[in-house]
């Protein structure tokens, strides 16, 4: 497993139109986790954007494979 420069970061992705997980939970998460939390905001409908959004797919893969956070490249 490769450890990126942001190995301690917690990344939370969410779609604003998610019927299963209220968007307010996404907004509350970084407040609870502190500065290590990063939110990837997908302005779409559905429970996950990983398979339906190329942008989300790429950002999640970059984080999991290389530790890259959105906006840090």
């Amino acid at each position: 497993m490769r450890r990126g420069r942001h190995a301690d970061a917690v990344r939370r992705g969410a779609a604003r139109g998610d019927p299963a997980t209220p968007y307010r939970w996404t907004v509350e998460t970084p407040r609870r986790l502190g500065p290590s939390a990063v939110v990837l905001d997908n302005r779409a409908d559905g429970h996950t954007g990983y398979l339906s959004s190329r942008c989300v797919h790429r950002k999640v893969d970059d984080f999991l494979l290389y530790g890259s956070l959105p906006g840090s490249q």
Side-chain angles (χ1 to χ4, degrees):
M1 176 179 192
R2 285 180 76 171
R3 291 181 58 100
R5 58 190 164 176
H6 300 289
D8 295 333
V10 176
R11 195 215 47 89
R12 167 83 165 94
R16 290 186 180 209
D18 184 341
T21 310
Y23 184 72
R24 65 181 166 80
W25 292 358
T26 300
V27 176
E28 292 171 3
T29 300
R31 286 187 213 142
R32 293 179 183 187
L33 296 177
S36 65
V38 176
V39 173
L40 179 59
D41 186 351
N42 181 19
R43 296 179 182 176
D45 293 328
H47 185 58
T48 178
Y50 187 73
L51 297 177
S52 62
S53 169
R54 288 182 184 173
C55 178
V56 171
H57 191 105
R58 183 177 67 249
K59 296 296 183 185
V60 170
D61 284 357
D62 286 349
F63 176 74
L64 294 174
L65 295 172
Y66 311 111
S68 301
L69 296 173
S72 67
Q73 299 170 343

